Amino acid sequence: MTLCDVTQYVYYLSPTEGGRQHDKKLADEYALHLPAGSVLRQDLGLLGHAPAGVVVEMPHKKPPKRELTFSQKLYNQLLSPLRVVIEHAHSGIKRLRIVADTLRLRGEWRRDTVMAVACGLHNLRVGSPHRAYLAQAPAKFPNLSE
């Protein structure tokens, strides 16, 4: 489980757990204390997890044998581009191929170390001044014909 902001900078990485653990149970075990009034965008795997003092934004789940209402569909569509940031952060972490592939190293500390290195490299890439092209104004070149 990761916690990142709009710039895709990873602030929190939970310890590695087996795939059979449910996300909500893990989130309850590793209770984070977020600042009051902060917005937590989470997916449907954390249904029912609502830390105190935090605004939770979560898409609506389709009810069985029924459809979502128009307002629920609209809310999901408005929330989708905001949640893409998290998916981009996950894909940035997985650029280190050892994280994306099956890891056959023995020992949890090795797997945790590999994931921590992958998150550190991702944070280095995110904080790079070469990546900040969106925040800068376009460069103005001098007129050489004069």
Side-chain angles (χ1 to χ4, degrees), residues 123-142:
N123 284 345
L124 186 66
R125 248 191 326 272
V126 167
S128 170
H130 298 292
R131 188 173 188 261
Y133 60 89
L134 293 176
Q136 297 174 357
K140 294 193 177 188
F141 296 103

Side-chain angles (χ1 to χ4, degrees), residues 16 28 45-46 50 58 64 70 73 79 84 87 91 112 120 133 145:
T16 306
D28 291 338
L46 296 169
M58 189 166 43
F70 177 75
K73 286 181 184 178
L79 194 59
V84 167
E87 298 302 325
S91 65
D112 287 346
Y133 60 89
S145 62

